[in-house]
Structure formats: structure tokens, C-alpha cells
Amino acid sequence: MPIKLSITDADFEDGFVKLLGMKRESDADVDAVVADIIAAVRARGDAAVCEYTNKFDRLNIDAKGMVVTKDEVDAAVAAVEPDLLKSLELAAERIRSYHDRQMPADERYIDASGVELGWRWRPVSAAGLYVPGGLASYPSSVLMNAIPAKVAGVERLVMVVPTPDNKMNPLVLAAARIAGIDEIYRIGGAQAIAALAYGTETIKPVDKIVGPGNAFVAAAKRRVFGQVGIDMIAGPSEILVVADGSNDPSWVAADLLSQAEHDPVAQSILITDDAAFADRVQEAIDMHLETLPRAEIAGASWRDFGAIVVVENLTQAPALVDRIAPEHLELAVDDPDALAEDIHHAGAIFLGRYTPEAIGDYVAGPNHVLPTARSARFSSGLGVLDFIKRSSLIKCTPESLAKIGPAAIALAESEGLQAHGLSVAIRSNRM
Amino acid sequence: MPIKLSITDADFEDGFVKLLGMKRESDADVDAVVADIIAAVRARGDAAVCEYTNKFDRLNIDAKGMVVTKDEVDAAVAAVEPDLLKSLELAAERIRSYHDRQMPADERYIDASGVELGWRWRPVSAAGLYVPGGLASYPSSVLMNAIPAKVAGVERLVMVVPTPDNKMNPLVLAAARIAGIDEIYRIGGAQAIAALAYGTETIKPVDKIVGPGNAFVAAAKRRVFGQVGIDMIAGPSEILVVADGSNDPSWVAADLLSQAEHDPVAQSILITDDAAFADRVQEAIDMHLETLPRAEIAGASWRDFGAIVVVENLTQAPALVDRIAPEHLELAVDDPDALAEDIHHAGAIFLGRYTPEAIGDYVAGPNHVLPTARSARFSSGLGVLDFIKRSSLIKCTPESLAKIGPAAIALAESEGLQAHGLSVAIRSNRM
């Protein structure tokens, strides 16, 4: 049974702290294996990648066979139902349009001392996108990871996707075509991450790697960080629904299950001010679970990690929401904007009764790659900013250097860094 | 002697690749020690922090003694020379003014389908700033790390600074006062990082930790990443000067030495189209080294890691610069903006002959915490964005959900996620 807490219980704080501290990560010790794989790929390039692909994906390929050709993508696109292709295209267009607005402006100005200052943004030159194989091979994730990179202006966008037993989801290739991926390789695991980070004879290295993966992929990303940039390490999915008693319990139940069905260690939480409504949501969950194909996964997640928190008044909700800092937050109330105003930490906020979280997973436009495991306290969802970087710009004239130089010299000398001071003083004839 | 390469040499590419691959990090294996320290602080809180402080900093304090009081800060400020205080205040004012411009705008709009979309930025609630003790205890770094956090709106800004043998740099406390730090603790090392990340009886946990430190601090930051956000792991300082033959060689020599004096493993590189000028720079370096107090460090850095690259024409420079992706880039030429236009990867660009890098270390305004070790290919210097995070906002009406919902349902079903589809369909009476 899911955890049930009421804010009026004497031991509420203890229970809530326990809820926050629930461990949902598998602590598989894969790091040593991953270190070996990376070392092998660095030392032996293509040959090592092909060997691991043979071993882990049961796919016997040579270096040339790693490449997914244009013809293969053409064939995959042709195999996809036209209606589904249209849905993918609609999603891509909406994601592109939202992310277009994220592109920040450059800045350049001359300040009161005559110093010219500013910054400019430039794209990462090459980015790699990891796409899981098998069951979790989601075309929507291809769009969500690739489109911000294209909007940012990344010149070379490389996708890797393992094809265990030579099985490839054609929708993934169709999404890659729609998103404008430049190169695709049928490799996965730590060996694919190593190939992207360090390059092989066939695969040129990239500067940044994004995309979700299993424990091996996550460990490999951590290890190559520094050599390349990485996105966040994604944890299991989460949803927090704040709902009053005026909602249809079966709607809220569907929303809670939509995240629960991702993974037995996903987490769905309901905060409500109506204990009777909470009971009706539980009943609706039981009912939905009777017919949902992924009832086993969703049921396990709800049973092991689900929670219902009853408060006296929804004004008590924001403080609890901030402590949870959920990946996805639904505010199913009459005035969701007012409630949102008091909340600080959430990856994405779904406002009102007609905004199920799943609409954001596919077609709303904002990114579905969002901070998990309370990291919304300090990080944002994936976006254009993840594929661009800022260079600051400074330009002094002899006059403006003379104005601000003395303070720099004084501070440099106070820090015992005389060459710093010298480099300023020598231009000011202050030697 | 520093490396000398000429682009016309037959083995130039080999030499340049070797230059790019130079290992300048000390690979001290401190990770196991750090893991123990973090575990001890998590288990025993203040008591463990005080024990490690006693052991590593030779400072016998209890929990209460960790706190640096307002009176101590008052006394430190009073002890600082008024002129130096003014220089710090000028620096702070200029840093604040530059970072004020970095604050991004929120966004909210209704698109053609009637879906309301947008995002909003909110500050991290609490941030911790690590300040090294001893020699590398730089007041300028306090300003550079703390002011962007204050501009971002961080409510609680905590500084930790070790005071080995009870020695504290009063300028660091003065900078903390000027920057608006809220709490200061006289602790350092992995134990301070653990205290900030997990909290103790005395120190409430923070959400993000920034600031430079030794190998123990860096390893501790890597370990607590996820529990809290961290800034980049800073490597040794670097400067790349692109200069034509019209520069004063002693100016360029001073600039190269200004980074070399930081650390024997710092790296200074000159790219020039004038071999005779390169020789004059080397002579000027030798001359400066005769008088500079930190000649031993600067000389070792220049000898072991310095490099001079002679090209035929400065139009060849941008491609080389991008491969180096330097932390600091000086363009000492007549039209630095034109040259900068062709360069993609650099942490900060210092334009023209009158803009020594050191002016950016102290008073120009842009941040001096910048990406090292070629990470300017994929990351930016510290700024306001490091202390805020974005929540995406989505709000559908029954009508707009009906418009975009079918595509979401189709994609959800194609991914085998029926509860996702259900949560949309159930609101559209499409069941």
C-alpha cells in the first residue's frame, strides 16, 4: 500500500522526512566494468566497440556495420504509419517553436568608465545523443534531446542507439530524421559513450553527450565528464499532483499512474485537502489497474513508492512541494497560477484540471527531460542553454584601463600576485 | 624550455596534439579518504567536522567555535587599509553591475492552438561558497562566487573557509561582508563540503556548492553532486595570447607570466605570426622573472607547460584557438573583434592591446571563474544562471487539450504507455 500521511498526525514530520529519504536508485556496482570498457575503447577504438556490441547486444558487426545508413532511415520512415508520422511531426514542430524562444541574446555595452563589456553565446560544435534500445527506446525522447541542440545551432549531431538482437524501433529512426540527426550508429552501453567522448577511427568525438540510459550508461557518462560535457544523470520518473476535492478522481488517478507505469521505482504522490477525495482516487487507481497493460509495473510503483498526503488546507501545500521539489507538478485547482506563485522548486508545472502531465511528455512543447530526485532545487530541464556556452568579452582603452587599473593592481598585490599587477601597470606607465 | 612549434614544420600536427594532451592535473588518489570523511560527517555531524578541523587545520574548536561572528568580521573590516577596501568595493560594484544584466526574463504566451506555455526562473534557496585557506585565500574569488548568487536572489549564502593554525585573511572577511554573505564557518576540506551538502546540528544544508579547492575539496564536490548542485571542477589556470609583431614584447610577457605565477602546472601559450617577436617575448619573460616575487612558480610553469606557436598568418590562429579552447584568450591585434568573430571556444576574450587578462581577474566585471582544460568547448564561466533554475509552465483548456491531445495519445500508445494516453483521453471524452 502507498504511504498515507495526514498533516494533522502527531508523527507527520517523521513520515514526511521518511518519504523524502526513500531510496529509489539501484546501487548496482557497475563502475569497475565501465572503467574497463572505456579504457578498451580508448586503446582499441572501433575493434573494442564492435567486440562489446557483439557481446552485449548479440550483434556481430564490423566498424562499417556500426553506421545506420540513409537507406535504412528511408526504409524506417516508409514503414511508419502516416498518422503516427504526422503526430511526430506535430510534436517536433511544437518542441522547436518552444525552444526557439529560449535562445538568449548576446550583450555588448560600454560602461561609465569607458570599458567595453559583454558576452556572446556560441553553440557546442558537436553533440552526441544516447537513445536506449529495447523497451525504453522512445521516439519522443529523440525529439526532446535533439531539437534543442539543433535550435542551438550544433553543427554535428550524432545519435547512438543499441539494437539488441538486431532489433531497431523504426519510430526512433523516423524521429531522428525529423529532428535532423546527422549521424547514427547502432551501438550502446558504456562502449557507445566512450566512442562519443574519445572518438574511434569511424566515429569522431563530440563535445557534449546527452540522453538517458541504464546504470552502465550513467556510470560511463559520469566517468567521461570533463573530457566532454554531459547532461544530468536522470533518475526514475516522479509526479506530484496537488488536487482539491472538486477533481474527477479517475483523472487524477490516471495522472498518478502515467508516471508509475514507467518503472517500478517511479514515484507518484498526491497532496489533497480532502481525505474522502483521496480515498476515491485510490479506488480509481485500483479500477484503472484492472485494465492497463502495464498494470504490473504501475501497481508495484504505486504500492512501493506512492504516497497520499492529506493537508488541512491547500495553502499548506507549497512548503511540502518545495521539500519534494518534484520533476513534474500538477496543480489541479481552480486558480493554479496563484498556487504556483508560492512554489519555488519543480521541473515543470502543469496548471489546472485540463493539463495532464502526459501532454508535456509528447506535444506541449517544453522539454520532457527534467530534474529528478529533488534536483529541481538547483537544476533545470534540458533546453537550448545546454547546447550553447557563453564567452565573456572585455575591451579596455588606454583611458579606461587607467581608470580601473589602479584598483586591480592594489588587489593583485594584496593577493601576492605581482605579475598580475605588472601586466596592468606596465600598460599604464605606472612602473 | 617551453614548447616551440611552427605551423610550417613537417611535424607541427604531432607537436600540437601533444600540446593539447599535456596532463597538468595531479592524480592524487584521495577519493577513499574523502568518502570516509563524508560518511563520518553524515553520521556524527558537528562532532566529526570539529575532529577533522582539529586534525587537518590544527585548530581545536567545538561546534560553537566553527561560527565566525559578526564581531570578528567587523574587526577584520576595520583592520583592512581603507584604500584596499575601496578597491574591493569598486570591484564588487562592477561585478554586480555586469551580472545584473545576466538575469534572464520569464516567458509566458498562448500559442496558435490555445495552449498557454512559458517558463519562470527562481533562485536556488541556499548556496554554499568554498574559499580555500592559506596562500590561495583570495578575496577576489569571494566576490566572484558570491555576487552572482546574490544577484540571482539566493536567500541564504553560506561561506566556509579553513583557518589552518587559526590564520584568517582579513581581506576575505571584508570581501564576504561586501558581497553580503549570510553565514561564515571556519572549516574546510571534504568535511566542510559534507557539512554544506548534508547539514549538521549547527550548519543547515545548502542546495548548491561553488568555489575552488584542493584535490580533497574537488573529490568531495564530485561525491556530493546529486545531493546538491556543484559548479565546475576547476583545473589549473590557462592563458592563450594571440599577438602580432606590433605589440610591446614586455607587455605580452607580463600577461603570460600573470597566469604562470598561479601554479607550477598553469599553462601560458603564445600564438604569433612573427618569429622574431616570439624571441623578444621570451627575452622579456626572462627579464621579468629576475624581479618577480613568484618567479620560481611562474618560471616552472613557463618552462614545463609554456608554449610558443608561430603561424604564417593570424588567419590560421582561430582554428588552433578552438582546439585549445582556452580559459583566457587575449587578442593583442589591431582588429580584435574581427579575429574573435572566427573563434568559437574560449571562456573569456580580452580584446585589444590594452586589455591584460588580469584586469578581468579583479575589476572588469565579468566573472573570473571560467572553464579550464578545454571545457570552454561545452561550458561557460560562473554567472547568475548557476544560481537560478527554470520551471516550465503548461496550461491547457478543454479546447486546446482536444486539439493537441490526439497526437499525444497516438505517440503514447506507440510507446506502449497506455496510462499516459489514458490521462489525456479521459479528459477529452475520447474513452
Side-chain angles (χ1 to χ4, degrees):
Chain A
M1 287 304 292
I3 293 168
K4 281 198 184 180
L5 300 173
S6 173
I7 204 164
T8 53
D9 292 348
D11 58 354
F12 173 78
E13 180 62 21
D14 286 353
F16 194 75
V17 167
K18 209 170 145 193
L19 176 64
L20 291 180
M22 277 177 115
K23 268 268 173 236
R24 296 185 293 127
E25 295 283 5
S26 55
D27 270 338
D29 186 19
V30 300
D31 206 45
V33 178
V34 164
D36 287 348
I37 294 173
I38 293 173
V41 173
R42 289 187 69 174
R44 298 189 296 113
D46 284 342
V49 175
C50 289
E51 281 166 29
Y52 287 117
T53 302
N54 190 350
K55 180 173 172 188
F56 295 128
D57 298 338
R58 298 160 301 282
L59 184 66
N60 192 3
I61 47 169
D62 59 9
K64 213 181 145 194
M66 295 192 299
V67 180
V68 176
T69 64
K70 188 181 161 298
D71 286 353
E72 287 178 90
V73 180
D74 288 344
V77 172
V80 173
E81 234 183 278
D83 265 11
L84 214 43
L85 210 56
K86 268 193 201 154
S87 296
L88 270 179
E89 278 161 359
L90 175 72
E93 188 192 307
R94 294 185 57 87
I95 296 165
R96 197 174 295 121
S97 148
Y98 181 85
H99 286 80
D100 269 341
R101 293 177 180 248
Q102 287 186 338
M103 201 69 188
D106 291 348
E107 176 79 324
R108 195 87 183 248
Y109 63 99
I110 298 178
D111 74 9
S113 301
V115 181
E116 196 172 336
L117 296 171
W119 62 78
R120 55 169 221 204
W121 292 96
R122 288 283 172 99
V124 166
S125 295
L129 163 55
Y130 190 92
V131 178
L135 261 186
S137 186
Y138 295 139
S140 58
S141 291
V142 175
L143 301 181
M144 291 288 183
N145 280 277
I147 291 173
K150 294 304 276 190
V151 169
V154 173
E155 271 186 26
R156 178 173 162 257
L157 192 50
V158 184
M159 183 172 114
V160 292
V161 53
T163 59
D165 302 310
N166 204 21
K167 276 178 198 139
M168 169 83 89
N169 181 352
L171 274 173
V172 162
L173 294 186
R177 168 68 55 82
I178 290 168
I181 301 264
D182 300 293
E183 301 166 27
I184 307 176
Y185 301 97
R186 66 181 96 248
I187 60 174
Q191 59 274 21
I193 299 297
L196 289 172
Y198 292 100
T200 69
E201 302 90 319
T202 301
I203 304 170
K204 277 191 293 182
V206 302
D207 302 301
K208 174 127 189 179
I209 301 176
V210 300
N214 63 19
F216 290 86
V217 171
K221 281 168 70 181
R222 271 186 194 273
R223 279 206 163 254
V224 301
F225 175 57
Q227 171 68 20
V228 297
I230 61 167
D231 62 346
M232 65 195 91
I233 307 287
S237 194
E238 313 154 8
I239 188 170
L240 170 55
V241 181
V242 178
D244 59 27
S246 306
N247 287 281
D248 185 326
S250 71
W251 296 14
V252 170
D255 300 352
L256 293 168
L257 291 172
S258 74
Q259 294 311 295
E261 77 172 339
H262 270 296
D263 195 323
V265 293
Q267 183 165 52
S268 304
I269 301 177
L270 169 66
I271 296 182
T272 182
D273 58 352
D274 184 334
F277 173 75
D279 291 340
R280 289 196 299 274
V281 170
Q282 178 63 61
E283 287 161 24
I285 284 175
D286 294 338
M287 192 195 70
H288 288 322
L289 283 174
E290 284 172 24
T291 57
L292 282 171
R294 292 171 71 99
E296 200 173 332
I297 295 170
S301 159
W302 178 247
R303 181 190 64 227
D304 296 341
F305 298 104
I308 293 175
V309 179
V310 178
V311 294
E312 297 163 290
N313 189 302
L314 286 186
T315 57
Q316 295 167 322
L320 302 179
V321 172
D322 277 341
R323 291 174 69 186
I324 295 169
E327 181 190 16
H328 303 108
L329 172 65
E330 279 186 23
L331 300 179
V333 297
D334 275 335
D335 188 352
D337 285 281
L339 192 56
E341 201 48 42
D342 292 331
I343 292 165
H344 295 83
H345 311 311
I349 308 180
F350 300 81
L351 298 156
R353 307 187 199 279
Y354 282 88
T355 317
E357 185 281 328
I359 202 75
D361 282 337
Y362 295 106
V363 296
N367 213 289
H368 79 196
V369 180
L370 293 165
T372 56
R374 302 186 65 226
S375 63
R377 291 175 296 130
F378 53 81
S379 59
S380 309
L382 195 71
V384 168
L385 287 174
D386 293 289
F387 296 99
I388 58 179
K389 66 268 179 350
R390 194 181 54 223
S391 298
S392 45
L393 303 170
I394 308 174
K395 190 179 195 175
C396 289
T397 57
E399 297 74 28
S400 62
L401 183 65
K403 271 195 193 160
I404 66 170
I409 296 168
L411 291 171
E413 285 177 0
S414 81
E415 292 184 354
L417 296 173
Q418 275 80 2
H420 282 66
L422 173 66
S423 71
V424 178
I426 204 171
R427 286 167 163 91
S428 323
N429 301 319
R430 290 176 52 91
M431 290 296 291
Chain B
M1 289 300 294
I3 294 168
K4 280 197 184 179
L5 301 173
S6 172
I7 204 164
T8 54
D9 292 347
D11 58 353
F12 173 77
E13 180 61 21
D14 285 353
F16 194 75
V17 167
K18 210 170 141 190
L19 176 65
L20 290 180
M22 279 177 112
K23 269 266 172 239
R24 296 185 292 126
E25 293 283 5
S26 56
D27 271 338
D29 186 20
V30 301
D31 205 45
V33 178
V34 164
D36 287 348
I37 294 172
I38 293 173
V41 173
R42 288 186 71 175
R44 296 190 294 113
D46 285 342
V49 175
C50 290
E51 281 165 30
Y52 287 117
T53 301
N54 190 352
K55 179 174 173 187
F56 295 126
D57 298 338
R58 298 159 300 280
L59 184 67
N60 193 1
I61 47 170
D62 59 10
K64 212 180 149 195
M66 297 193 296
V67 179
V68 176
T69 63
K70 187 181 163 296
D71 286 353
E72 287 178 88
V73 180
D74 287 343
V77 172
V80 174
E81 238 181 273
D83 265 10
L84 214 44
L85 210 57
K86 267 192 202 155
S87 296
L88 270 180
E89 278 162 359
L90 175 72
E93 188 191 307
R94 294 186 56 88
I95 296 164
R96 197 173 294 121
S97 150
Y98 181 86
H99 286 80
D100 268 341
R101 292 176 180 248
Q102 289 186 337
M103 202 70 188
D106 292 348
E107 175 79 324
R108 195 89 184 247
Y109 63 101
I110 298 178
D111 74 9
S113 300
V115 181
E116 195 170 338
L117 295 171
W119 62 78
R120 55 168 221 203
W121 292 95
R122 289 282 171 99
V124 165
S125 295
L129 163 54
Y130 190 91
V131 177
L135 260 186
S137 185
Y138 295 139
S140 58
S141 290
V142 175
L143 300 182
M144 291 288 182
N145 280 278
I147 290 173
K150 294 305 275 191
V151 169
V154 173
E155 269 186 27
R156 177 171 163 257
L157 191 50
V158 184
M159 183 172 114
V160 291
V161 53
T163 59
D165 302 310
N166 205 21
K167 275 176 199 142
M168 168 82 89
N169 181 351
L171 273 172
V172 162
L173 293 186
R177 167 67 54 83
I178 290 168
I181 301 264
D182 300 294
E183 301 165 25
I184 307 176
Y185 301 96
R186 67 182 95 245
I187 60 174
Q191 59 275 20
I193 299 295
L196 288 173
Y198 293 99
T200 69
E201 302 89 320
T202 301
I203 304 170
K204 274 190 296 182
V206 301
D207 301 301
K208 174 128 190 178
I209 300 176
V210 300
N214 63 18
F216 290 86
V217 171
K221 279 168 69 181
R222 271 187 193 274
R223 278 202 165 258
V224 300
F225 174 57
Q227 172 68 21
V228 297
I230 62 168
D231 61 347
M232 64 197 93
I233 305 287
S237 194
E238 314 153 7
I239 187 170
L240 171 55
V241 182
V242 178
D244 59 27
S246 306
N247 286 282
D248 186 325
S250 71
W251 295 15
V252 170
D255 299 353
L256 293 167
L257 291 172
S258 74
Q259 293 312 294
E261 78 173 337
H262 269 298
D263 195 325
V265 293
Q267 183 166 52
S268 305
I269 302 177
L270 169 66
I271 295 181
T272 181
D273 57 353
D274 185 332
F277 173 74
D279 291 340
R280 291 198 297 275
V281 170
Q282 177 62 61
E283 287 161 25
I285 284 174
D286 294 338
M287 191 194 71
H288 288 323
L289 284 175
E290 283 172 25
T291 55
L292 282 170
R294 291 169 72 99
E296 200 173 333
I297 294 170
S301 159
W302 178 246
R303 181 188 68 226
D304 296 340
F305 298 103
I308 294 176
V309 179
V310 177
V311 293
E312 296 163 292
N313 188 303
L314 287 186
T315 57
Q316 295 168 323
L320 301 179
V321 172
D322 276 342
R323 291 175 68 187
I324 296 168
E327 181 189 17
H328 303 107
L329 172 65
E330 278 186 25
L331 301 178
V333 297
D334 275 337
D335 189 352
D337 285 282
L339 193 56
E341 200 49 40
D342 293 331
I343 292 165
H344 296 84
H345 310 310
I349 309 180
F350 300 81
L351 298 156
R353 308 187 200 281
Y354 282 88
T355 316
E357 185 282 329
I359 202 74
D361 283 336
Y362 295 107
V363 296
N367 213 289
H368 79 194
V369 180
L370 292 165
T372 57
R374 302 185 65 228
S375 62
R377 292 175 297 128
F378 53 81
S379 59
S380 310
L382 195 71
V384 169
L385 287 174
D386 293 290
F387 296 99
I388 58 178
K389 67 264 177 357
R390 194 180 56 222
S391 299
S392 45
L393 302 171
I394 307 175
K395 189 180 196 175
C396 291
T397 58
E399 297 73 28
S400 61
L401 183 64
K403 270 195 194 161
I404 65 170
I409 296 168
L411 291 170
E413 285 177 359
S414 81
E415 293 185 352
L417 296 174
Q418 275 80 2
H420 283 65
L422 172 67
S423 72
V424 178
I426 204 171
R427 286 168 164 91
S428 322
N429 300 320
R430 289 174 52 91
M431 289 300 288

